[in-house]
Amino acid sequence: MTPVPSATQWGAPAASKRALLLHGNTSSSHTLSPRPHQLNHLGYLVTAPNMLGHGYRRSDDFRVNTLAEDLRSYFAGGIVYDVIVGHSLGGAVALALMPFIPADKRTAVVLVDPGIEFDQAFVAIVERIYTAQIQNVGSVEAHMAEHPTWTRQDVVSRVLALHMAQGDVVKQIFAVSVR
């Protein structure tokens, strides 16, 4: 069996339902909280992998199909998910995971603000903003001031994810995903 890359799990391995949560660009498995806890309370074992370039995982290949292929081990041994949720970049990766889902199993796929199609002007703005966030990670207090409706846990998770992101991940992802 292929070793499973870096991930966070919530819930009991014996849970009757499984959920796979995929984070967005410059995020990590920890930025998905509190959603995993909510699913866990509904009886799910929740798995949230850190995609390549995130959560201290390094890479030089950020094509969406490569990101999906890297997650193949999460489907090893007949593991089936009742729901797959992809946020932003995770939405595009969730779609690329479709070949790994058994045809005879119903799996709900939820895309939240999926990064599927962009125009060049939008890409330039997002790339500039996200790259600046990785290069100049603000304090927890600064992020709290910028996002007053976020919980402190959400802000701490976001700051941690920015520190763990590969410095060129945004540029590399857009370079191979947007043409």
Side-chain angles (χ1 to χ4, degrees), residues 4-17:
V4 175
S6 149
T8 305
Q9 284 191 323
W10 296 263
S16 62
K17 299 181 278 188

Side-chain angles (χ1 to χ4, degrees), residues 25 62-65 67 89 92-93 115-118 120 123 169-179:
N25 201 358
F62 294 102
R63 291 172 292 165
V64 170
N65 285 339
L67 298 175
L89 172 64
V93 174
I116 299 174
E117 187 175 327
F118 303 106
Q120 292 299 326
V123 168
V169 68
V170 177
K171 182 176 184 170
Q172 294 295 331
I173 286 174
F174 284 134
V176 297
S177 299
V178 180
R179 303 208 194 276

Side-chain angles (χ1 to χ4, degrees), residues 4 13 38 48-49 65 68 77 89 101-102 105-106 113-114 120 128 152 161 165-166 173 179:
V4 175
Q38 294 163 341
N65 285 339
L89 172 64
I101 299 172
K105 172 66 173 136
R106 290 176 56 131
D113 295 329
Q120 292 299 326
R128 186 180 74 248
R152 185 162 186 84
Q166 184 172 320
I173 286 174
R179 303 208 194 276

Side-chain angles (χ1 to χ4, degrees), residues 82-110:
D82 298 283
V83 63
I84 298 173
V85 179
H87 172 250
S88 188
L89 172 64
V93 174
L95 292 176
L97 291 174
M98 293 298 148
F100 305 153
I101 299 172
D104 62 339
K105 172 66 173 136
R106 290 176 56 131
T107 299
V109 178
V110 180

